[in-house]
Amino acid sequence: MQPTLVAVAHGSRDPRALHTALALLERVRELRPRLDVRLGHVELNEPLLDDTLDALSGSAVLVPLLLGRGYHIKRDLPAAAARAGHLLTRVAAPLGPHPLLVEALYERLLETGWTPTPGSAVVLAAAGSRDPDSAADTRRTAALLRERLGGIPVTPAYASAAAPSAPEAVRALAARGHHRIAVASYFAAPGRFATQTAAAAPGPASAPLGDHPALARLLLHRYDEARALPVGGVDPVRPELVSA
């Protein structure tokens, strides 16, 4: 029997975040109808991850709906898996960095009506973390997006805990002569940071990644990767996975 896929969202006070996560999981179920797919939250929303795991039996793969490495990936998810002693568990890598995320970012930008032209630039706006691995993952995604845009400059920026902020990144790009600047929202779902970032954008700001079809495919990709790990294993997010 296949392990249950437990998608782990952060949780948000914005009610749209829960609706977005549920919509994304519906896409996953459409792609793999026989797979048991559940949702758990680190905080703020029900069902909480511990409650989701308590209701399961057999085996499970925890797939974080998070875009890079950080405290939740390194501490919270392995701890939750350890508490679920009745299950055989594996913890998958976060969603990013990965080319499927870049494709979703690219298409969300195009949805705003923005197109890459000479002199334009993009700010990749992420939540931010004090963990240097998280910033490294965001920089890698920015580099991949720059390649996808044919060399258009892409500058990472952060809503909290790291610099530069999105307004600072916009000013730096404008000082270098870029005046057609779009903000790519590198957020899994709507929430406070995504709203603040979009409000501060001088031009087009894309929607969060949400239930983009590429994310559903990536969720299953991370699930399949993790199934190859030993029981109790945690994927450390190897750089070579970027080209998978």
Side-chain angles (χ1 to χ4, degrees):
M1 186 174 180
Q2 297 181 93
T4 299
L5 189 163
V6 179
V8 184
H10 181 276
S12 172
R13 291 183 176 84
D14 189 321
R16 296 173 297 170
L18 175 58
H19 296 314
T20 298
L22 293 173
L24 176 61
L25 296 196
E26 280 305 307
R27 288 194 183 275
V28 172
R29 294 184 183 103
E30 290 170 2
L31 290 172
R32 203 168 293 185
R34 297 185 180 182
L35 179 61
D36 186 10
V37 179
R38 308 288 181 97
L39 176 64
H41 293 90
V42 175
E43 59 185 5
L44 297 175
N45 292 116
E46 295 182 347
L48 292 172
L49 177 57
D50 283 346
D51 295 334
T52 296
L53 297 179
D54 285 346
L56 297 178
S57 60
S59 59
V61 174
L62 279 58
V63 183
L65 301 182
L66 303 169
L67 302 177
R69 292 168 291 176
Y71 186 86
H72 296 309
I73 297 293
K74 297 178 180 181
R75 306 285 180 154
D76 286 341
L77 270 65
R83 288 192 296 271
H86 63 294
L87 292 175
L88 302 176
T89 56
R90 298 169 177 84
V91 179
L95 297 181
H98 195 276
L100 284 170
L101 273 183
V102 172
E103 197 59 29
L105 285 165
Y106 175 75
E107 292 185 6
R108 290 289 190 230
L109 277 171
L110 296 187
E111 288 171 359
T112 71
W114 181 90
T115 54
T117 58
S120 59
V122 171
V123 171
L124 181 68
S129 169
R130 293 183 178 87
D131 190 317
D133 287 336
S134 177
D137 290 343
T138 303
R139 289 194 300 270
R140 178 59 179 152
T141 297
L144 290 170
L145 182 58
R146 182 176 65 245
E147 293 173 10
R148 182 66 179 87
L149 293 171
I152 295 294
V154 178
T155 298
Y158 306 95
S160 69
S165 67
E168 289 169 343
V170 167
R171 289 194 293 270
L173 286 168
R176 287 156 46 192
H178 300 285
H179 298 292
R180 193 167 179 268
I181 300 170
V183 172
S185 296
Y186 195 39
F187 302 101
R192 178 167 59 92
F193 287 157
T195 299
Q196 288 177 352
T197 300
S206 63
L209 297 166
D211 65 339
H212 192 284
L215 261 69
R217 291 159 52 204
L218 180 53
L219 204 64
L220 288 170
H221 175 68
R222 292 303 194 207
Y223 169 83
D224 291 336
E225 284 179 341
R227 288 186 66 186
L229 295 170
V231 171
V234 178
D235 196 318
V237 195
R238 300 179 301 278
E240 60 266 28
L241 292 182
V242 170
S243 60

